[in-house]
Amino acid sequence: MAEVSADGGAGAPRVLILGCGFLGSQLARRCAESGARVLAVDAEAGKDATDVTEASEVSALVRCGAGCAAVLRGDAAEARVLSRALGLLGAPDELFVCTATHGGSPAAYRRAYGGVLEALLPLLPTGARLVFCSSVSVYAESAGGAVDESSLCVPSAPRVRALLEAEALALEAGGAVARLSPLYDAGRCELLRRHEAGEPRLPGPGARCLNYVHREDAVEALRLMARLPGGGVFNVCGESLSVDEAYAMLEELTGVLRAPEEAACSRRGLSNRRVLCPRLRAAGWRPRHSLRAFVSEGLRP
């Protein structure tokens, strides 16, 4: 296959995306629509750490607007896969790490985040803008208080430790870190799905704070972060609301009463914090979507 860069317009920015899941695939689409030449590595995050996928398949180029996108299937924690990606694309102007584990083990977390960065950073071309996707789960606050980028983070659990170690690698390399709230969009809104299915309501008191961001708003935040000078940590949250507020809204819009039973806490524990985004907002980012509008739109005939 010819270099991906050869199929885009002359002078078009090159974008490499590691992780082609719920967030990375939409990011690739938006970057290509804006005229970039995009290569996304399907990171195979669900694979066992010992199941190393060969970089043996590259999808056909897909034109999106003025740009184009392709997918390389391989293990993003393997240097040979990343070397091939860079050979196909050329030196990227922007590089996004959007890998995920889908609830994997601590070892899977270390490989999907720190392992990918350890393989990538020795190959990182000079001048490439690096954005690493992390999570607001790293914050220690659990009593309902507000957190911004300066708030305390404590590696109290192995998965949190793996995320913070990966963040440190990205920051040391001059990159930006996006601490993302839970994402939602068409086909993925766990709060709405559980409610409509009559599953037990979310655990914890009614005042417990929930944080969400629409996938499109998250994509625009990442693209903005890649254009900002310097690096550092950025919170990415579209809105915060209490459990009671969330279910009152769902009951009003769907006509379905919340389930009387309460779900058990996940193994990640019971989060309770309100996420603020002062750095992104100071840079001009504003979320365009809300849960209420999303649910209302989805219920229209």
Side-chain angles (χ1 to χ4, degrees), residues 253-273:
L253 296 177
T254 67
V256 178
L257 297 179
R258 72 188 77 181
E261 302 87 6
E262 180 180 299
C265 291
S266 74
R267 59 186 176 182
R268 297 181 183 179
L270 195 65
S271 66
N272 186 12
R273 62 183 71 92

Side-chain angles (χ1 to χ4, degrees), residues 195-246:
H195 180 69
E196 290 188 313
E199 295 181 8
R201 66 183 185 276
L202 294 178
R208 181 167 78 91
C209 192
L210 309 173
N211 303 279
Y212 294 102
V213 63
H214 192 280
R215 176 171 61 165
E216 293 284 356
D217 288 328
V219 164
E220 292 310 309
L222 296 178
R223 295 181 64 198
L224 174 60
M225 289 169 60
R227 299 192 297 268
L228 294 174
V233 174
F234 295 80
N235 286 344
V236 185
C237 179
E239 62 188 303
S240 302
L241 69 169
S242 71
V243 169
D244 277 346
E245 289 171 336

Side-chain angles (χ1 to χ4, degrees), residues 9-257:
R14 296 180 175 93
V15 177
L16 180 60
I17 299 173
L18 306 184
C20 195
F22 185 68
L23 179 59
S25 60
Q26 190 70 0
L27 176 62
R29 187 174 298 112
R30 290 289 173 259
C31 289
E33 287 174 349
S34 70
R37 293 167 287 191
V38 182
L39 180 63
V41 177
D42 188 354
E44 301 286 347
K47 297 286 187 181
D48 235 350
T50 57
D51 186 1
V52 177
T53 306
E54 295 292 337
S56 58
E57 179 188 350
V58 179
S59 72
L61 286 169
V62 177
R63 292 198 174 276
C64 304
C68 62
V71 176
L72 170 66
R73 307 199 184 283
D75 189 331
E78 289 292 317
R80 67 178 182 277
V81 174
L82 299 178
S83 292
R84 186 174 183 205
L86 292 169
L88 289 166
L89 180 67
D93 300 289
E94 299 174 1
L95 201 161
F96 299 91
V97 180
C98 302
T99 45
T101 64
H102 308 292
S105 66
Y109 264 67
R110 287 192 295 273
R111 184 173 182 83
Y113 301 114
V116 168
L117 286 171
E118 287 170 355
L120 170 68
L121 292 179
L123 305 173
L124 188 66
T126 302
R129 294 285 297 135
L130 171 66
V131 179
F132 171 72
C133 292
S134 183
S135 167
V136 296
S137 65
V138 300
Y139 288 114
E141 174 60 43
S142 61
V147 295
D148 61 18
E149 292 87 355
S150 66
S151 297
L152 180 67
C153 297
V154 177
S156 55
R159 294 177 183 83
V160 173
R161 187 177 305 115
L163 277 172
L164 288 173
E165 289 171 353
E167 284 188 8
L169 291 173
L171 293 171
E172 287 169 9
V177 169
R179 288 180 178 160
L180 292 156
S181 299
L183 302 167
Y184 69 94
D185 198 352
R188 179 169 146 177
C189 182
E190 187 66 9
L191 178 68
L192 176 61
R193 185 201 66 77
R194 291 171 60 94
H195 180 69
E196 290 188 313
E199 295 181 8
R201 66 183 185 276
L202 294 178
R208 181 167 78 91
C209 192
L210 309 173
N211 303 279
Y212 294 102
V213 63
H214 192 280
R215 176 171 61 165
E216 293 284 356
D217 288 328
V219 164
E220 292 310 309
L222 296 178
R223 295 181 64 198
L224 174 60
M225 289 169 60
R227 299 192 297 268
L228 294 174
V233 174
F234 295 80
N235 286 344
V236 185
C237 179
E239 62 188 303
S240 302
L241 69 169
S242 71
V243 169
D244 277 346
E245 289 171 336
Y247 279 107
M249 178 266 292
L250 291 173
E251 289 176 348
E252 174 194 344
L253 296 177
T254 67
V256 178
L257 297 179

